[in-house]
Structure formats: structure tokens, C-alpha cells
Amino acid sequence: MTATATTAAHACAAPHASAAATERTGARTDEAADVITNARERIDALDDRIIGLVQERMAVSAVIQEARITSGGRRVNLSREMEILSHYRDALGKPGTTLAMTLLELCRGKI
């Protein structure tokens, strides 16, 4: 291949990402790296909101537990926990059950 043909072939190929973009995102083009970077920023914001909601859920759960215990009841209501597990499983499939179990564990506090 001549030097001119080689240059033309490279010009037609997709532009490669800079080394820093590839390292940071795994993308092969700067355009893909930009998409990934923007999407990751959105995920980080969503994660912050999810963490805040989980913390809020923990506080509400503590109020419920306190009222139940103060009235002579048990800290945990197993039938309610089964409803929550079913709700998450129905919405998210089998991994939803695992997520719900983790939330329940976080919200129960120390037993």
C-alpha cells in the first residue's frame, strides 16, 4: 500500500480515543468516551439519590420499630417483610429479592 493509500485508509477508519479516555472509560473513540463519561455522571447522581432514599427508609423503619416495640410488639413483622420481598421480586425479578433482603437488613437495625 502506498503512503497516500495508507493515509486515506486511516482517515476513513473510526477515530481512536485518546489514551486517557481509553484508560478512564474503556471506549475506543473520544465520542464514546464522552457518552460514557456523561452516563457515569448521571449514574453517580442517581446513586446519591438512592443512598439518600435508603437512609430515609431506614429512619422511617426505625419509627415503625419503635412504635411496635413500645406497644409490646416484636421488632420485626415477618408477614410485612414477605410482602416487601414479593414486591421487589415482582418488579425486578430474582435479583430484586436480594436487593429487598439487603434493604430489610439495613432497616432492621441491630436485633
Side-chain angles (χ1 to χ4, degrees), residues 57 64 68 76-92 96-97 100-101 103-104 108:
R57 190 187 193 290
I64 292 168
R68 192 180 300 120
V76 176
N77 181 334
L78 294 179
S79 64
R80 174 64 178 151
E81 288 195 358
M82 294 307 294
E83 288 175 20
I84 293 165
L85 291 169
S86 178
H87 179 68
Y88 275 77
R89 183 186 61 247
D90 292 346
L92 303 172
T97 303
M101 285 298 298
L103 282 171
L104 290 170
R108 282 184 198 128

Side-chain angles (χ1 to χ4, degrees), residues 43-64:
I43 284 174
D44 290 345
L46 289 167
D47 284 345
D48 288 343
R49 289 173 47 198
I50 291 167
I51 290 167
L53 289 170
V54 169
Q55 291 170 332
E56 183 178 349
R57 190 187 193 290
M58 291 168 66
V60 172
S61 183
V63 169
I64 292 168

Side-chain angles (χ1 to χ4, degrees), residues 10-67:
H10 286 294
C12 292
H16 292 288
S18 64
T22 298
E23 179 70 26
R24 194 175 64 251
T25 65
R28 298 189 133 196
T29 66
D30 285 331
E31 181 179 286
D34 289 343
V35 169
I36 292 167
T37 298
N38 291 335
R40 284 180 177 172
E41 288 172 2
R42 185 160 181 226
I43 284 174
D44 290 345
L46 289 167
D47 284 345
D48 288 343
R49 289 173 47 198
I50 291 167
I51 290 167
L53 289 170
V54 169
Q55 291 170 332
E56 183 178 349
R57 190 187 193 290
M58 291 168 66
V60 172
S61 183
V63 169
I64 292 168
Q65 289 175 41
E66 180 67 27

